[in-house]
Amino acid sequence: MTRKRKKGFSLVEVMIGVAIFATVGVAFLSFLSQSIGESKFSAEYFSAFILSQKVMEDFSEEIAINPYGFETLGVDENSTQYSEVVDGATVHFSGLEDQQKPYGKIDPGADNTINAKVVPLYEIVKKFQFRAQAKRLEKTGDGEKRNLLRCNLEFLWDAKIGKGQYETSCSFFSPVTAKKIDLALNVDQAAIDARIPKDFFNAPGKSLAQIANERSSTVETVTALGRIALVTEDFMKSQYYTKQMKAIADLKKKLALIPASQFDQEYAVRLAIALAWYDLAKACYQIVVYLEPCFATLQSQNVSALQTGTNTLNPIQLQEALFHYRIIYEYFVGSIVQARFYYYALIEKDLALYKGGKRELQVLQKLIDLYRIVALLASVPTGMDQYKAFLGRLDTFADGRNLYLQRMVRQEMIYLQDPAVWMEKFPNLKRISSIVKARIPQILAFIKARTDDAVLNADNSY
Amino acid sequence: MITFFQQSVTKTSYRGAFTLVEVLVVMGLLTLLAGGIYHFFTSVGQTQKVLSQQLVLQMESRKALDQVINRIQEGSEVVRPFTGETQSFLVLKDIVNRLSMLYLEPNNKISQQLQKPVYRLVAYTTDYTGSFNKQNQKVLVDLVRRITFTSLSPNTVQINATIINENREYQFITHVGLMNLGGLEQ
């Protein structure tokens, strides 16, 4: 009996053996399971990384063409909605390929969203959701940080082990503040003021105070009038103005002689003319803006007094001074319209094909700027309608070809529904508008009234 | 004696080995268990193999992706495909006006091994000699099952690529921005 007992195992021994085996087995299985889970997680994490790269590049392109790109896409700091990657739930993963007729035109709804037919991508990414948030480093003001956007991107997925989450962030430059420009830097104001007694009032050696006193006026008034007269006269007689007008005339002659097949020459000359007009427009605008406070002074003072007293101002001289300003403003308007015309010629089909899509897009962006300015000009009452019509053409052009541009155009159309909102979005335009739309009509009316008075007074005295 | 024998027989029958039925049942159970364990380990091994292949494929895809992205980022403008168009090739212009082409060539050796079409993605950059120069040609990716380039703007390219490795395929989409050369001269 003793021998028989030694041959087998007791129940306790068997149970201990089974327990040890089970423990080792479970540990091994757990290790294997962990290893498999880690491998899967690593694969999923990599996929999330690739997807995030795609979305960030999308944002980068969106922002490059539209400073309010995130707003257009409905992304802000309070975005809480997670979007599926598959089945066309978001613009970032739609329109992947141009697969359907008409070819050469992508339809984001029909052209290859990541659906079940897209294998193996669909299986790889179907479990992913993502959310983007973006905020400006400063919400208000015109500090540099307001032009910087911080974007956080978060991908979530149902991971067997660990937390299925990938986060990344990126900063974008998206200028929405007004440019920092001091127009007065281009004018030597002290030198102009020193010339006023001799060159405008024909009273060399006298101070501005004496001149003002003799005319029952103020120093501010005579200074303002003198600055208007001398700055505008200097510009009209300047080498810059003469050379610029001659350069434009010469370029136009050259353009007329270029054969139609010489796209490179034609493009270069048209661009040179557009740049020349644009440069002239900028110079004229600087003078218009610089002298605007002088008109504010004249409007608030009794400028008619300058025609009375012992040393009256020659009415023709006054008329000239004020008319020169008007002429320079008209040059500004004309130059901007001419620049727009010549830039527009650069997107003519043959020229655009020759220079390529990138240059075409740059010209379109330039044209948007010019159309915006013209839309503000009181002296071009159809300017806004022209701009809206241009946006309509751009929308058609970009449809299925440049979805970023199309979104920007449609966002602009929404902003334009409320001009106040449009102005708030573009502070540079608001600043231009404060001059050309708000002040220029008043100034032109003032010039007309004052020059009429001057001529009438002169007539009465004869 | 008889009693002893009977007692002895009785004791032997209680303490003796298993009956045939018991042995068969146990063998059956053990076979099932062994089969289960074998199946389990095979399955785990297979899963691990698949996953390691997947990881290797992903690493290769990442390498391929980096190669393609680096090459594209040297370009300053997408020449082909036109915006809104998808092609299996890409033509770029770079900063010094050279043209670079990314196109597919059949990878016959791998195609035969895998019994399905596999391609190489090749980059060729033109120089100013006007003739083909082998040195300007470079294979970027060896195991391409499919690749398309879609232009959604002149400054970017969207890539949809499938990389293959021992019959496993990995597909990714990405978006590559070209070199930014600033705006229109003004």
Side-chain angles (χ1 to χ4, degrees):
Chain A
M1 279 186 73
T2 308
R3 186 164 49 90
K4 298 260 176 195
R5 276 193 203 106
K6 283 177 184 171
K7 270 188 177 177
F9 298 103
S10 69
L11 181 62
V12 174
E13 285 171 334
V14 169
M15 285 179 72
I16 289 171
V18 168
I20 290 170
F21 180 76
T23 308
V24 171
V26 166
F28 181 66
L29 284 179
S30 167
F31 168 75
L32 276 180
S33 169
Q34 185 77 10
S35 168
I36 290 168
E38 293 280 357
S39 301
K40 274 189 179 167
F41 185 79
S42 174
E44 288 160 353
Y45 199 81
F46 175 75
S47 294
F49 166 74
I50 299 264
L51 292 172
S52 73
Q53 264 192 333
K54 159 89 174 90
V55 177
M56 281 301 189
E57 277 294 343
D58 281 351
F59 284 148
S60 180
E61 186 62 15
E62 196 85 37
I63 282 292
I65 207 161
N66 178 6
Y68 295 101
F70 282 105
E71 195 171 294
T72 305
L73 291 169
V75 176
D76 61 28
E77 60 187 298
N78 301 315
S79 302
T80 52
Q81 187 80 26
Y82 285 85
S83 301
E84 300 282 339
V85 167
V86 295
D87 297 324
T90 163
V91 293
H92 301 290
F93 299 102
S94 303
L96 301 181
E97 287 182 359
D98 177 28
Q99 286 193 328
Q100 294 182 20
K101 288 181 182 175
Y103 295 114
K105 190 174 174 181
I106 289 176
D107 177 355
D111 273 325
N112 202 3
T113 59
I114 306 177
N115 55 42
K117 291 178 186 169
V118 182
V119 286
L121 186 60
Y122 184 80
E123 286 303 318
I124 295 169
V125 301
K126 70 179 180 186
K127 60 166 72 171
F128 289 95
Q129 291 185 318
F130 78 100
R131 178 184 70 178
Q133 292 179 317
K135 74 167 185 177
R136 293 199 177 272
L137 299 192
E138 279 179 3
K139 283 184 181 173
T140 54
D142 63 350
E144 289 304 316
K145 285 186 177 176
R146 188 155 176 244
N147 295 329
L148 289 174
L149 273 156
R150 188 79 180 156
C151 172
N152 295 315
L153 194 57
E154 182 187 20
F155 276 83
L156 292 181
W157 66 96
D158 183 20
K160 292 274 168 60
I161 66 159
K163 191 178 179 187
Q165 184 182 29
Y166 175 81
E167 280 184 282
T168 185
S169 60
C170 192
S171 291
F172 294 94
F173 177 67
S174 138
V176 292
T177 62
K179 284 184 183 173
K180 312 289 186 293
I181 300 172
D182 183 358
L183 293 168
L185 284 176
N186 291 323
V187 179
D188 186 350
Q189 199 160 278
I192 294 286
D193 289 353
R195 285 171 48 206
I196 291 173
K198 179 175 177 289
D199 292 354
F200 185 63
F201 288 101
N202 198 22
K206 286 187 179 175
S207 69
L208 289 170
Q210 286 173 308
I211 292 170
N213 195 35
E214 285 173 1
R215 287 162 179 77
S216 307
S217 187
T218 64
V219 173
E220 289 77 22
T221 304
V222 294
T223 306
L225 193 57
R227 283 179 186 169
I228 291 169
L230 295 185
V231 170
T232 53
E233 187 183 7
D234 284 358
F235 179 75
M236 300 294 284
K237 291 178 179 172
S238 68
Q239 281 194 349
Y240 167 80
Y241 174 73
T242 315
K243 277 185 181 175
Q244 198 74 355
M245 294 307 285
K246 184 177 182 311
I248 291 170
D250 290 346
L251 285 165
K252 281 184 177 175
K253 281 181 198 163
K254 193 175 173 183
L255 181 64
L257 298 174
I258 295 172
S261 58
Q262 297 295 317
F263 295 138
D264 54 342
Q265 287 180 37
E266 187 180 340
Y267 194 96
V269 174
R270 283 191 186 279
L271 179 61
I273 297 174
L275 289 169
W277 278 121
Y278 186 68
D279 199 63
L280 184 60
K282 278 201 296 190
C284 292
Y285 181 72
Q286 283 183 321
I287 290 169
V288 167
V289 173
Y290 172 71
L291 293 176
E292 184 274 327
C294 296
F295 277 96
T297 303
L298 293 187
Q299 285 171 295
S300 66
Q301 306 281 333
N302 182 13
V303 74
S304 297
L306 292 168
Q307 267 74 57
T308 62
T310 50
N311 293 311
T312 57
L313 189 68
N314 181 342
I316 302 301
Q317 198 180 0
L318 175 65
Q319 198 174 21
E320 260 187 17
L322 299 181
F323 253 66
H324 276 164
Y325 182 86
R326 180 175 188 141
I327 289 170
I328 290 172
Y329 168 72
E330 294 297 345
Y331 270 140
F332 159 65
V333 174
S335 302
I336 277 285
V337 172
Q338 286 292 318
R340 190 183 69 176
F341 172 79
Y342 280 96
Y343 273 117
Y344 207 101
L346 299 180
I347 56 169
E348 188 270 325
K349 194 178 174 188
D350 288 337
L351 287 182
L353 265 177
Y354 173 75
K355 291 302 280 188
K358 185 165 186 168
R359 186 58 66 87
E360 185 182 34
L361 184 60
Q362 289 169 346
V363 173
L364 288 175
Q365 288 178 292
K366 185 76 184 173
L367 278 169
I368 289 171
D369 285 344
L370 294 175
Y371 267 101
R372 281 172 173 162
I373 294 170
V374 174
L376 296 173
L377 298 173
S379 46
V380 187
T382 58
M384 181 57 83
D385 289 337
Q386 290 173 16
Y387 182 39
K388 287 179 178 173
F390 175 65
L391 288 176
R393 293 195 294 278
L394 264 187
D395 187 25
T396 307
F397 164 81
D399 186 33
R401 300 185 65 213
N402 189 331
L403 304 179
Y404 309 98
L405 177 63
Q406 189 175 43
R407 281 195 286 271
M408 176 263 155
V409 165
R410 290 184 176 176
Q411 181 71 68
E412 180 86 349
M413 285 172 168
I414 292 169
Y415 289 151
L416 283 172
Q417 287 171 5
D418 184 347
V421 171
W422 188 51
M423 287 290 102
E424 282 307 313
K425 293 291 176 189
F426 300 99
N428 286 322
L429 287 182
K430 190 177 182 181
R431 194 162 56 182
I432 294 172
S433 177
S434 70
I435 299 292
V436 299
K437 200 168 185 179
R439 287 288 293 131
I440 289 293
Q442 295 171 1
I443 291 172
L444 296 185
F446 171 78
I447 289 172
K448 186 173 185 306
R450 290 283 72 81
T451 50
D452 284 353
D453 284 353
V455 174
L456 284 173
N457 289 338
D459 285 344
N460 289 340
S461 66
Y462 293 130
Chain B
M1 190 68 184
I2 291 170
T3 306
F4 175 73
F5 177 76
Q6 280 176 338
Q7 280 177 346
S8 174
V9 168
T10 307
K11 280 179 183 173
T12 305
S13 69
Y14 278 109
R15 294 174 187 170
F18 302 103
T19 65
L20 182 61
V21 174
E22 285 171 335
V23 169
L24 284 173
V25 168
V26 168
M27 278 180 67
L29 286 173
L30 281 175
T31 308
L32 280 176
L33 185 63
I37 289 171
Y38 176 79
H39 177 75
F40 173 75
F41 279 104
T42 311
S43 166
V44 167
Q46 189 63 29
T47 308
Q48 270 213 315
K49 189 180 171 191
V50 165
L51 280 169
S52 5
Q53 279 178 352
Q54 184 77 9
L55 280 177
V56 169
L57 185 58
Q58 279 198 340
M59 281 190 285
E60 284 174 1
S61 301
R62 176 69 204 270
K63 197 175 150 193
L65 182 66
D66 284 346
Q67 292 261 26
V68 176
I69 287 176
N70 289 341
R71 191 67 180 210
I72 291 175
Q73 282 178 336
E74 286 173 17
S76 62
E77 183 176 350
V78 181
V79 178
R80 295 288 185 280
F82 288 120
T83 48
E85 202 180 46
T86 298
Q87 296 289 359
S88 57
F89 63 90
L90 177 68
V91 183
L92 301 165
K93 197 191 276 185
D94 72 9
I95 192 168
V96 288
N97 245 9
R98 289 178 312 184
L99 287 177
S100 284
M101 285 152 275
L102 273 66
Y103 56 94
L104 294 174
E105 269 186 3
N107 187 336
N108 294 328
K109 190 179 164 189
I110 304 293
S111 296
Q112 280 172 1
Q113 280 175 17
L114 301 181
Q115 296 295 303
K116 54 175 77 170
V118 180
Y119 306 90
R120 288 190 190 92
L121 181 67
V122 183
Y124 182 78
T125 302
T126 57
D127 52 24
Y128 298 107
T129 62
S131 56
F132 177 77
N133 184 348
K134 184 79 179 167
Q135 287 182 332
N136 296 342
Q137 193 180 39
K138 186 183 176 188
V139 176
L140 297 182
V141 191
D142 248 330
L143 304 167
V144 180
R145 183 84 174 93
R146 180 179 182 274
I147 193 165
T148 60
F149 302 95
T150 301
S151 173
L152 293 177
S153 89
N155 305 313
T156 58
V157 183
Q158 191 165 267
I159 302 168
N160 183 355
T162 306
I163 308 294
I164 190 167
N165 178 7
E166 296 170 20
N167 270 335
R168 293 208 61 76
E169 292 183 1
Y170 183 74
Q171 185 180 10
F172 59 84
I173 48 166
T174 192
H175 193 168
V176 188
L178 273 63
M179 188 185 291
N180 184 3
L181 289 179
L184 190 67
E185 58 268 64
Q186 52 191 309

